[in-house]
Amino acid sequence: QVQLVESGGGLVQAGGSLRLSCAASGRIFSINAMGWYRQAPGKQRELVAAITGGGSTNYADSVKGRFTISRDNAKNMVYLQMNSLKSEDTGVYYCNANAVIWRSGSSRSTGDYWGQGTQVTVSS
């Protein structure tokens, strides 16, 4: 299994910045894509940003130019730098990882894993 622990959420005024971090641990062989999703009250969870193992990135149109995703493969961590925050960025932010883990013996399996979420609140 893989454990993902997010940190860095909080309350910020509109126009401010926050940096989210997510640390992955467990019986990890390798991590493929990592990403950040968010869920606002009454809405479905949506992709905010994703990054492949090679560093290719993908962003939701609503955050392009304001958010930057990055990762440290050596530390199994992913980050989300959020600038020029807006009230509509409010929600619970979840870290996601598609990882290959060790099973018994030398077998491996691939799966999607989620963190517990961190609240981001942007006041206008």
Side-chain angles (χ1 to χ4, degrees):
Q1 292 291 339
V2 175
Q3 293 78 45
L4 299 175
V5 179
E6 302 105 333
S7 61
L11 174 64
V12 64
Q13 288 189 331
S17 298
L18 282 175
R19 185 182 191 232
L20 304 183
S21 300
C22 174
S25 63
R27 295 172 57 84
I28 299 170
F29 172 78
S30 64
I31 301 179
N32 301 317
M34 301 186 80
W36 290 95
Y37 290 71
R38 68 186 178 193
Q39 187 165 19
K43 294 188 177 181
Q44 290 188 331
R45 190 175 299 189
E46 63 174 356
L47 174 68
V48 175
I51 185 167
T52 67
S56 297
T57 58
N58 180 43
Y59 295 94
D61 288 342
S62 60
V63 307
K64 285 180 180 177
R66 299 188 297 122
F67 291 10
T68 302
I69 188 170
S70 60
R71 65 188 283 175
D72 184 332
N73 291 330
K75 296 181 179 179
N76 288 336
M77 294 197 67
V78 63
Y79 308 95
L80 186 68
Q81 178 66 43
M82 305 185 293
N83 299 328
S84 302
L85 282 161
K86 305 175 181 179
S87 57
E88 50 262 45
D89 294 318
T90 294
V92 179
Y93 283 68
Y94 296 91
C95 177
N96 170 268
N98 181 270
V100 181
I101 65 170
W102 290 104
R103 292 291 188 183
S104 58
S106 60
S107 66
R108 292 168 285 186
S109 65
T110 302
D112 269 334
Y113 300 91
W114 293 89
Q116 80 288 351
T118 186
Q119 177 70 44
V120 171
T121 303
V122 184
S123 63
S124 56

